[in-house]
Amino acid sequence: QVQLVESGGGSVQAGGSLRLSCAGSGNIFMIYAMGWYRQAPGKRRELVAAITSGGSTNYPDSVKGRFTISRDNAKNTTYLQMNSLKPEDTAVYYCHADVMTITLLRGDYWGQGTQVTVSS
């Protein structure tokens, strides 16, 4: 089994910063892409940031220049630094990983989600 555990969510005022972490554990052989998604009430889950195993990153225009994704491959961990937060960033944030297990099965795994609330 593979587990992704997120931490770092919380409440902040507009203009503030938060840093999310997501640590993978279990029967991990290799993690390919990792990413962060978010889902606000009544809205679809959307990609916030993604990073390949080689470190290439991708962001939607809505967060570009404000959010930064990084990863520590040795720790199977990804981070999301969120600066200049806006009320519209309020959502549950989910970690995602494309994982090859030690039994050579490849699949998508999700964290449990962490709430981020930005007040105006």
Side-chain angles (χ1 to χ4, degrees):
Q1 268 195 331
V2 173
Q3 298 84 35
L4 298 177
V5 179
E6 299 133 340
S7 61
S11 297
V12 65
Q13 289 191 329
S17 298
L18 284 173
R19 187 185 192 224
L20 306 182
S21 299
C22 172
S25 63
N27 300 330
I28 297 172
F29 175 71
M30 179 178 178
I31 300 180
Y32 298 96
M34 302 185 82
W36 291 91
Y37 291 71
R38 67 187 180 189
Q39 188 167 21
K43 295 189 176 182
R44 296 170 56 186
R45 188 174 295 190
E46 61 175 357
L47 175 69
V48 174
I51 186 168
T52 67
S53 57
S56 297
T57 59
N58 181 44
Y59 306 92
D61 289 343
S62 58
V63 307
K64 198 172 292 183
R66 300 189 298 121
F67 290 10
T68 302
I69 188 171
S70 60
R71 65 189 285 174
D72 184 333
N73 290 331
K75 296 181 179 179
N76 291 329
T77 299
T78 183
Y79 307 95
L80 184 67
Q81 178 66 43
M82 304 184 292
N83 298 328
S84 302
L85 283 161
K86 304 175 181 180
E88 50 263 43
D89 294 319
T90 296
V92 178
Y93 283 69
Y94 296 91
C95 174
H96 167 267
D98 177 4
V99 177
M100 176 74 78
T101 68
I102 59 174
T103 55
L104 301 183
L105 294 175
R106 186 170 177 175
D108 294 308
Y109 293 86
W110 294 88
Q112 79 284 1
T114 185
Q115 177 70 46
V116 171
T117 302
V118 184
S119 58
S120 57

